Amino acid sequence: MKSLIIVSSQSGNTRKLAGAAAEALPGETTMVAVEQAPDHFDGIDLLAVGFWLMGGKPDPKSSELLARIKGKKLFLFATHGAAKGSAHALAAMNQARELAAGAQIVGAYSCQGQVQEKVIATASAKVPSPAWVADAPSAAGHPDERDLAELQAAIRSCC
């Protein structure tokens, strides 16, 4: 099996998940930043796309990429400041699924990722502040070993 991991990571959290994903995928696996994603995915059996959230949806570069994927098996993964399983996190992953409607989505995983203090401060100053801001303190130290193991289990169960 030939897999391509495409990752967009602002603070390193999603890149950390991408490394764990690479360890879990069988066969030949290549990882590239979203900026280096190829125009076509010929010869790729599985795409794994990792992204961070911006405004409650995948970051802009990942959003553009997801909309281009057609007819390929796709595993989605993301990091965010919101609590795992929160309405905010679930809505963002649903947005990613909608963007990638042309792909065959085989699985998904998301978890908290530590948010930089300056980002929390900026978001907290907004009125109203985004829903994820209240959860951000619990994101400290994430993704952790448990998050990485859960991602790997999710990948192994579907891929």
Side-chain angles (χ1 to χ4, degrees), residues 4-159:
L4 176 62
I5 299 171
I6 303 172
V7 63
S8 178
S9 186
Q10 187 175 39
S11 63
N13 294 327
T14 310
R15 191 171 17 263
K16 190 173 180 180
L17 286 183
E23 292 174 8
L25 286 166
E28 182 184 338
T29 302
T30 304
M31 184 172 15
V32 297
V34 69
E35 296 85 1
Q36 281 89 39
D39 292 331
H40 303 284
F41 306 109
D42 298 335
I44 303 295
D45 300 305
L46 174 74
L47 289 167
V49 176
F51 52 89
W52 52 280
L53 303 187
M54 181 176 179
K57 58 186 176 186
D59 67 90
K61 290 178 184 176
S62 295
S63 292
E64 289 176 21
L65 172 72
L66 290 170
R68 291 195 297 115
I69 300 171
K70 307 287 184 221
K72 289 291 181 181
K73 289 183 179 179
L74 174 63
F75 185 91
L76 300 166
F77 62 98
T79 59
H80 44 77
K84 186 175 179 177
S86 67
H88 181 80
L90 294 173
M93 190 58 76
N94 285 337
Q95 177 72 26
R97 289 176 191 275
E98 289 175 18
L99 288 166
Q104 178 189 350
I105 299 172
V106 296
Y109 178 81
S110 76
C111 68
Q112 283 188 297
Q114 186 164 327
V115 182
Q116 298 171 352
E117 288 299 322
K118 66 181 180 177
V119 173
I120 294 171
T122 300
S124 295
K126 293 180 181 179
V127 178
S129 61
W132 63 266
V133 171
D135 296 332
S138 65
H142 288 271
D144 61 16
E145 291 303 316
R146 182 176 178 180
D147 298 322
L148 301 179
E150 287 176 354
L151 168 66
Q152 289 177 329
I155 287 176
R156 290 184 183 119
S157 72
C158 71
C159 306

